[in-house]
Amino acid sequence: MTALSSDLLTRQANLLLILASPISPAGGVGGKRRDRVLTLDNMNPNVKRVEYAVRGPIVQRAVQIEKELKAGVKKPFTEVIKANIGDAQAMGQKPITFLRQVLALCSYPELLEDKKFPEDAKKRAQRILEACGGNSIGAYSASQGIECIRQDVARYIERRDGGIPSNPDNIYLSTGASDAIVTILKLLVCGEGCDRTGVMISIPQYPLYSAALADLGAVQINYYLDEDNCWSLDVKELRRALSAARQHCNPRVLCIINPGNPTGQVQSRQCIEDVIRFAKEEHLFLMADEVYQDNVYAEGCKFYSFKKVLFEMGPEYSSTVEMASFHSTSKCYMGECGFRGGYMEVINMDPEVKAQLTKLVSVRLCPPIPGQALLDLVVNPPQPDEPSYTTFMKERTAVLATLAEKASLTEQIFNTVPGITCNPVQGAMYTFPRITLPQSAIDKAKEAGQAPDMFYCMRLLEEEGICLVPGSGFGQREGTFHFRMTILPPTEKLKVVLQKICEFHLRFTQEFS
Amino acid sequence: MTALSSDLLTRQANLLLILASPISPAGGVGGKRRDRVLTLDNMNPNVKRVEYAVRGPIVQRAVQIEKELKAGVKKPFTEVIKANIGDAQAMGQKPITFLRQVLALCSYPELLEDKKFPEDAKKRAQRILEACGGNSIGAYSASQGIECIRQDVARYIERRDGGIPSNPDNIYLSTGASDAIVTILKLLVCGEGCDRTGVMISIPQYPLYSAALADLGAVQINYYLDEDNCWSLDVKELRRALSAARQHCNPRVLCIINPGNPTGQVQSRQCIEDVIRFAKEEHLFLMADEVYQDNVYAEGCKFYSFKKVLFEMGPEYSSTVEMASFHSTSKCYMGECGFRGGYMEVINMDPEVKAQLTKLVSVRLCPPIPGQALLDLVVNPPQPDEPSYTTFMKERTAVLATLAEKASLTEQIFNTVPGITCNPVQGAMYTFPRITLPQSAIDKAKEAGQAPDMFYCMRLLEEEGICLVPGSGFGQREGTFHFRMTILPPTEKLKVVLQKICEFHLRFTQEFS
């Protein structure tokens, strides 16, 4: 994100939030403000710099509109469609039966006597309960996560990566992937001025990264993905960004999101090798955000984990490059966002640092146990000889097939419209099409103190009830405009949404031409 | 904690952790260390300063001993009793049936057809599901928490406080109370050098506070509770601590834990009034950690919320003093630690700051939904006309009555032993007795680079298999020694534990006299 659009966004967010907050007669923005202990002027400045567009002002306005609709206010639409966030079940995706059966059994073990539940679900629940303090998911676990679940995660990684060993001691369960990502960044940030830790992130990026870096006071180093080449990553661009950054900070970390969020690309094996070689040469800690590892749709694309590639590059790499890889229960075929489950695997981490990491996570006691249990089922799903296997596979396959269909549908429909250019959605859950905006719309937005794509998305929300996130919330090349939309609405609804956006785009273009 | 004992603890923790970590031939403490991107020398120095004794080296040793026992190693005991952490269900407390029934229904809504479940449990589950995106607890919620649950929390607070109004907009659901406490501290920390934010915490304290302050680089200001007066809080001591701190930092926050952790005292209404008056006079933001609000056992003691007292002091206070109060699903009668549920209520917070708070929590998307659901049941339990009421009340009363019995038992038994002095456990879940240690034991500990009470607790662990936390992990007056023990083991086991500690104390004293 450019400094300008970032600043605009912040001001706008503040304004909207102030307008939305009831100001009590006893204080508020007016007279008594100087009397308060905690004000905008004397609060943590890093927090003020934090931005998180996925839940930013546009989503707040969407929630408001929903309330207005409920209260009977007439609108040109009857419901708000929230395509702003990768929240599959909110969009109607059904939970996987096996996962929820085991969770019910863990929550209320009296059900273990119930004949309705399949034996493999009961066996999984019993195993999880036996690993819990007092045989209850109401007890704290070890801060790193329940040991037998960490073992299951390690075995899952070994299967995924064709037998490359994984050590359960290197697995840390987490509260969603966000928690683990912030924790690793926190370990890495130090220094002042030109020695301050710099962290390389892709542009466009998932704004958790920029938010965490602002919060930690680290330096954000932008490298741009190549939109003309299907959002691919070019090591030349990494080199450019790194050498520019070395003038003013101490770059120590390289973050990669693969499959990409918000851009939906899937990295080639060759590209991953190049990135790893770059990280080694330039002495960077690698953070591989691989939460969409099961979400690969495009023909010829395949998910390669950074760890697998690292180990296949031989001991020169596999025994030296420091890395953390992140996964989550929120995405893939299960979409269990609400449980906040996840894990990370750390590789080649200094044992003394690992001890500090273990200490640090202990302060928050432990990740939520239902999320840990869920993760265990994801990494240890029903096997072909177990009673739940058929249903489980049917449900899983159906979700992934539908996502693949919607990914291709999205690309096709958007690309029919002049002024919308859309790369293939190779993986993940989003499309990030580029939109051409008339100059007069750009001017109008600037007058209103809004980023032009925010102006566009706000208009779309007001006119069609569709909630997207402006590209400026993820970062984009100066002078280009985008939005992020999830491909998660049910197919028929998605078609309508796409159609409406296309029509809106034509209308908007006409209005401002 | 004194600087000395703190330093000793850190060194010891690091040593133990290094010894426990497998060092790969490719790197580690030895030759290749300088090659790593991330080492102990160049990591975030604030993280290094973090300490969290409740899960510190003694607990790591306890886990090791458990593994040794499992592997058949002979010990003078057959199991490790972990009285280090307030984890009721790990100690055998049974979950409350109603809570778990509703959670099972929410996890697997097919059970809503099942006749085994009472109608009120189904009604609660249905209401929660209807408030979830896609009617599923697998969807994200609003970052502040599900709206109807925040409404229920507000009504609960109003009932608790005799009708003083509570606004759902001021309620933020959280991942346990720890999450919310760290978030509020984060908002408040700013400035450098003598302007750096100072935060007043009680000594002894719950080490989440010191850990969070170290992590945030804030200045910890110690005020001492009065052990001779049942760990009461004296405003004179607050004044002393504050005026000393003003020499070197900018004190802005006063943290109170009531009922007390680790000290088990329950503050009088008068004392709360005095504290509020002090906070107003001295322009401090109040943080009231009230997670043990249902855990009050001693006759004549009663829980008064800071908010209730604040509002009863009249508008001069109720419209000006800024405050946050914290609650959790982990303690009280339910003890559902593993679900990581909790909430905070903010009072008189600047609307602009509140907008920043809302933005900040949105980065982590939302607290886990099972924890939010659980919280809803805690604040909206079965009513007298509902089918689950009788069982619910029976279970709730039994847990609290047993805790009261164990609180009094603990005090009685400890006070029979010369060299152990124990204040009444008026509330919460812990006792923090003072132990007299022979000088030669103190010397011996120092030789070993250990805090004397760590030395004592380690010996107790090795000889009796009982895991306590040394007082130095919570802070104590220079030259005094304590330990924290939970009162959570089942009554018969608790008696044995108390007896064993008493015998150990006599033996230890004799050995070093």
Side-chain angles (χ1 to χ4, degrees), chain A residues 480-495:
Chain A
T480 70
F481 305 106
H482 302 76
F483 58 77
R484 185 183 86 163
M485 185 184 97
T486 72
I487 59 165
L488 294 173
T491 313
E492 287 316 305
K493 192 179 261 185
L494 180 66
K495 283 182 192 162

Side-chain angles (χ1 to χ4, degrees), chain A residues 233-250:
Chain A
L233 195 168
D234 183 356
V235 172
K236 273 200 242 93
E237 167 60 11
L238 289 179
R239 252 182 245 296
R240 180 208 60 77
L242 184 71
S243 83
R246 286 225 162 102
Q247 311 297 314
H248 60 92
C249 72
N250 177 18

Side-chain angles (χ1 to χ4, degrees), chain A residues 35-37 42 50 55 89 100 107 114 116 136 141 143 186 215 252 283 322 338 348 359 369, chain B residues 35-37 42 50 55 89 100 107 114 116 136 138 141 143 186 215 252 283 322 338 348 359 369:
Chain A
D35 285 337
R36 290 197 200 260
V37 179
N42 67 20
V50 166
R55 297 210 152 189
Q89 297 192 17
R100 295 308 196 88
S107 299
D114 192 319
K116 269 201 309 290
S136 170
S141 73
S143 301
K186 182 178 278 181
D215 186 357
R252 301 179 69 197
H283 207 57
E322 293 153 73
N348 291 319
K359 179 190 74 177
I369 310 297
Chain B
D35 284 340
R36 288 197 201 260
V37 179
N42 67 20
V50 167
R55 297 209 151 186
Q89 297 192 20
R100 295 308 196 88
S107 299
D114 192 320
K116 269 203 308 290
S136 169
S141 74
S143 301
K186 182 179 277 180
D215 186 355
R252 301 178 69 198
H283 207 57
E322 292 153 73
N348 291 320
K359 180 191 72 177
I369 311 294

Side-chain angles (χ1 to χ4, degrees), chain A residues 224-236:
Chain A
Y224 289 86
L225 300 176
D226 184 357
E227 182 165 14
D228 295 336
N229 281 298
C230 202
W231 297 115
S232 67
L233 195 168
D234 183 356
V235 172
K236 273 200 242 93

Side-chain angles (χ1 to χ4, degrees), chain B residues 300-493:
Chain B
C301 284
K302 202 185 146 188
F303 171 74
Y304 294 92
S305 78
F306 266 74
K307 182 182 176 199
K308 181 179 164 70
V309 176
L310 177 70
F311 275 71
E312 289 173 354
M313 287 167 75
E316 190 194 341
Y317 291 89
S318 66
S319 66
T320 59
V321 175
E322 292 153 73
M323 203 186 99
S325 158
F326 307 90
H327 198 14
S328 159
T329 57
S330 303
K331 313 297 170 186
C332 300
Y333 63 92
M334 51 281 182
E336 294 281 13
C337 312
F339 284 85
R340 316 304 301 116
Y343 76 80
M344 66 176 156
E345 181 182 26
V346 297
I347 294 155
N348 291 320
M349 184 176 268
D350 185 322
E352 288 182 304
V353 175
K354 235 181 86 181
Q356 294 286 329
L357 169 59
T358 305
K359 180 191 72 177
L360 182 62
V361 297
S362 77
V363 178
R364 295 296 188 91
L365 299 163
C366 69
I369 311 294
Q372 294 191 40
L374 191 65
L375 178 67
D376 191 47
L377 307 171
V378 169
V379 298
N380 184 17
Q383 296 306 303
D385 59 346
E386 292 183 315
S388 300
Y389 182 75
T390 314
T391 308
F392 173 80
M393 286 307 289
K394 214 176 93 188
E395 291 176 348
R396 180 186 194 278
T397 311
V399 171
L400 292 175
T402 309
L403 282 172
E405 182 196 7
K406 293 193 282 195
S408 117
L409 196 72
T410 303
E411 179 200 352
Q412 276 167 36
I413 296 184
F414 273 148
N415 281 327
T416 60
V417 178
I420 301 186
T421 325
C422 180
N423 270 318
V425 184
Q426 297 173 332
M429 298 179 163
Y430 316 97
T431 175
F432 197 72
R434 181 165 172 178
I435 45 177
T436 310
L437 300 182
Q439 188 56 46
S440 70
I442 297 171
D443 296 342
K444 183 104 184 194
K446 283 186 178 154
E447 268 170 48
Q450 273 182 329
D453 44 17
M454 173 64 95
F455 177 73
Y456 177 95
C457 289
M458 276 286 186
R459 284 284 295 263
L460 175 67
L461 174 64
E462 297 290 348
E463 292 179 21
E464 301 287 355
I466 297 167
C467 180
L468 308 178
V469 191
S472 45
F474 303 88
Q476 52 200 352
R477 281 203 183 271
E478 188 70 43
T480 69
F481 306 107
H482 302 76
F483 58 77
R484 185 183 86 162
M485 185 184 99
T486 73
I487 58 166
L488 294 172
T491 312
E492 286 317 304
K493 193 180 259 185

